[in-house]
Amino acid sequence: MIRHRSHEEATLIERAQRVLPGGSLGNVYYPGDQAMIIQRGQGAHVWDVSGNRYVDYLLGSGPMVLGHAHPAVLKAVSSYLERGSTYFSTNEPVIYLAEEIVRAVPCAEKVRFMSSGSEATFFAMRLARAHRRRPRILKFEGGYHGSSDYAVMSVTPKDLSPFPQAAPNSAGVPAALADTMLIAPFNDLSTAANIIEKHQDELAGVIVEPFQRLIPPAPGFLQGLRQVTQAHGIPLIFDEVVTGFRFAYGGAQQYYGVVPDLAALGKIVGGGYPLSAVAGREEIMRHFDPVMEASNDFVPLVGTLSGNPVAAVAGLATLEQLRKPGTYQRLFATGNKLRTGLAKVLHEAELPAQVVGEDPLFDVYFTDQPVVDYRSTLRANSQMMKRFNNLLLERGILKGASKFYVSLAHSDDDVDFTLRAFREAAEALRGAG
Ligand SMILES: Cc1ncc(COP(=O)(O)O)c(C=O)c1O
């Protein structure tokens, strides 16, 4: 496919440049010729304003696991809309959604809603601090937990500090906050455990993506973290914004068999609408309870759109689809075909590359060295990755900079189309040397 650009889309790109920094939302950025304005999505496809169709592996950065405009979600949302948009008060859909989260997610005894994944991780960390009455949180280098001042520590550091020193990945973060975070290498249990033990008296909690970006946990890593945090009474927070309801109905904690104290949920749980949640043990979640207001242990959380009923209805409709028998087998089978097909193509093209991830979420690293943590990702050839992504985009494959999200809407035809694009892109990369 050769993408064409209509006058209408070119005009919109110019208008975007005038009013949006970089002409973009900051989420995905396609410079110059690659810029595009999305017009609509249906199932596994999106179309830009010029009418080019893409097989979509960006999936709205993950929420659209059923595909775009799924009829069951559309029906549930549109039939709710006449009851209003938001009330700021407890409503029926949030109770049903909280009940479903408690049924599904092993660590969930109580649930509190907010609007974005960043808020969920931010409040999970604050809750841990309130519960332990201690200031510091340990996170892993390369782990992404959204955009709070705490979460942006050591996400993609250019200068590698010695562990456990944190460094902010954003301008505008007070330098003093770096001291409130401790950084450990993902998948290195002994270093993480040593830091936890050394700092146990000031540590409020440990936050981890159980599947960090694309990197699966090494055998025993999550189990070891669970043991060492439990031994010292330190809350373990799983950031399941990506993995929740994706790796299994109960998330990564079900899939990997390790139950944390708290989980941050987002993306799928809102069915494509702004909704996120902190779920966890009652003993910790009680700090959100207004009966605590008179004490110094209360964590107030007030949000205009927190627990929005329309988003909760979309989430409930999405979860209902996911509960159907065979759903996860199907999601994993589609992902597996793509993942193994991609690995085969890269191998046949003799490119130094590997596919990293799990079936519903994976991507390529252009290195033949093992990828186990942030520092090992730096060995990968990022220019080659950019070229590969561009070659795929030209062939009608839309994806994030470093992620293929798989949906239940991707058909065998979509998979075949994608495997053809993989082959052509890999050949072109090999040809470019
Ligand atoms: C693991 C993880 N945590 C938190 C977030 C932040 O979520 P949001 O973008 O909804 O603020 C993301 C977003 O991609 C994420 O991948």
Side-chain angles (χ1 to χ4, degrees):
M1 165 190 145
I2 308 290
R3 293 171 65 214
H4 71 281
R5 182 178 286 169
S6 64
H7 176 69
E8 189 188 359
E9 190 176 25
T11 307
L12 279 170
I13 290 167
E14 270 171 40
R15 288 173 67 172
Q17 284 290 350
R18 266 181 245 129
V19 289
L20 304 171
S24 83
L25 297 174
N27 292 334
V28 281
Y29 179 59
Y30 300 107
D33 283 354
Q34 291 147 26
M36 71 163 83
I37 311 293
I38 297 291
Q39 188 171 62
R40 68 190 177 95
Q42 176 68 57
H45 304 133
V46 291
W47 285 260
D48 64 24
V49 171
S50 303
N52 298 300
R53 191 198 82 163
Y54 305 86
V55 180
D56 185 14
Y57 296 99
L58 182 57
L59 294 181
S61 189
M64 309 318 297
V65 69
L66 304 181
H68 296 276
H70 189 281
V73 180
L74 275 184
K75 185 161 172 245
V77 167
S78 48
S79 59
Y80 194 85
L81 283 176
E82 64 187 21
R83 293 164 63 174
S85 306
T86 195
Y87 324 116
F88 198 58
S89 282
T90 313
N91 54 71
E92 291 167 83
V94 291
I95 299 171
Y96 305 148
L97 185 57
E99 284 176 348
E100 195 48 47
I101 292 170
V102 169
R103 262 194 292 274
V105 180
C107 79
E109 293 173 358
K110 283 264 162 72
V111 181
R112 175 53 74 85
F113 292 106
M114 53 289 296
S115 301
S116 72
S118 286
E119 279 178 280
T121 59
F122 173 82
F123 278 105
M125 289 190 268
R126 183 178 284 176
L127 210 53
R129 285 190 216 99
H131 188 65
R132 280 270 293 168
R133 297 184 178 162
R134 287 167 170 89
R136 300 178 96 177
I137 301 278
L138 181 139
K139 82 175 275 288
F140 290 86
E141 189 177 54
Y144 181 70
H145 306 294
S147 47
S148 71
D149 287 353
Y150 307 94
V152 295
M153 296 297 171
S154 305
V155 182
T156 52
K158 288 180 195 71
D159 301 320
L160 299 175
S161 315
F163 299 111
Q165 196 181 309
N169 256 138
S170 169
V173 175
L177 287 188
D179 261 0
T180 69
M181 300 298 286
L182 298 167
I183 307 299
F186 189 68
N187 271 338
D188 179 346
L189 182 60
S190 79
T191 303
N194 282 340
I195 297 171
I196 291 167
E197 271 161 7
K198 184 163 172 216
H199 295 272
Q200 53 173 290
D201 287 339
E202 43 181 7
L203 207 52
V206 172
I207 187 165
V208 64
E209 285 185 88
F211 167 87
Q212 183 171 294
R213 306 288 70 211
L214 291 171
I215 306 172
F221 176 67
L222 295 176
Q223 288 79 356
L225 269 188
R226 179 64 289 186
Q227 272 164 16
V228 66
T229 49
Q230 210 149 36
H232 298 294
I234 297 168
L236 177 63
I237 305 165
F238 274 9
D239 179 346
E240 294 237 35
V241 170
V242 164
T243 52
F245 296 102
R246 189 184 314 278
F247 280 16
Y249 194 63
Q253 48 194 284
Q254 179 186 333
Y255 186 68
Y256 295 123
V258 176
V259 180
D261 300 291
L262 292 173
L265 296 166
K267 301 199 191 265
I268 291 177
V269 78
Y273 290 77
L275 185 134
S276 64
V278 175
R281 284 176 40 217
E282 178 150 19
E283 187 200 358
I284 308 178
M285 294 294 289
R286 79 189 169 92
H287 293 272
F288 280 142
D289 188 333
V291 299
M292 304 277 288
E293 202 162 350
S295 77
N296 288 330
D297 295 321
F298 181 47
V299 177
L301 196 177
V302 181
T304 302
L305 294 174
S306 294
N308 176 265
V310 181
V313 161
L316 279 165
T318 301
L319 301 193
E320 194 180 331
Q321 296 302 310
L322 292 174
R323 282 197 301 281
K324 290 187 173 166
T327 300
Y328 286 91
Q329 285 93 320
R330 200 149 58 77
L331 184 68
F332 275 67
T334 305
N336 192 267
K337 273 188 247 167
L338 288 162
R339 202 154 85 94
T340 51
L342 178 55
K344 187 162 170 272
V345 160
L346 294 166
H347 180 73
E348 284 168 4
E350 295 173 350
L351 291 164
Q354 60 193 293
V355 180
V356 177
E358 302 277 8
D359 289 337
L361 179 54
F362 58 87
D363 210 337
V364 187
Y365 279 106
F366 284 94
T367 171
D368 48 17
Q369 301 297 303
V371 175
V372 295
D373 58 10
Y374 171 71
R375 294 186 186 197
S376 54
T377 65
L378 299 177
R379 295 192 203 117
N381 185 329
S382 57
Q383 286 312 315
M384 220 162 176
M385 181 75 184
K386 272 193 190 139
R387 287 215 302 277
F388 189 62
N389 286 344
N390 292 344
L391 287 161
L392 290 178
L393 190 67
E394 285 166 17
R395 285 160 180 77
I397 306 294
L398 183 68
K399 65 182 287 283
S402 59
K403 268 189 186 144
F404 280 95
Y405 276 112
V406 180
S407 84
L408 289 156
H410 287 106
S411 66
D412 285 346
D413 282 351
D414 292 320
V415 170
D416 291 344
F417 180 89
T418 307
L419 293 178
R420 269 198 304 280
F422 286 162
R423 265 192 296 278
E424 288 177 20
E427 285 305 314
L429 264 191
R430 180 164 70 168

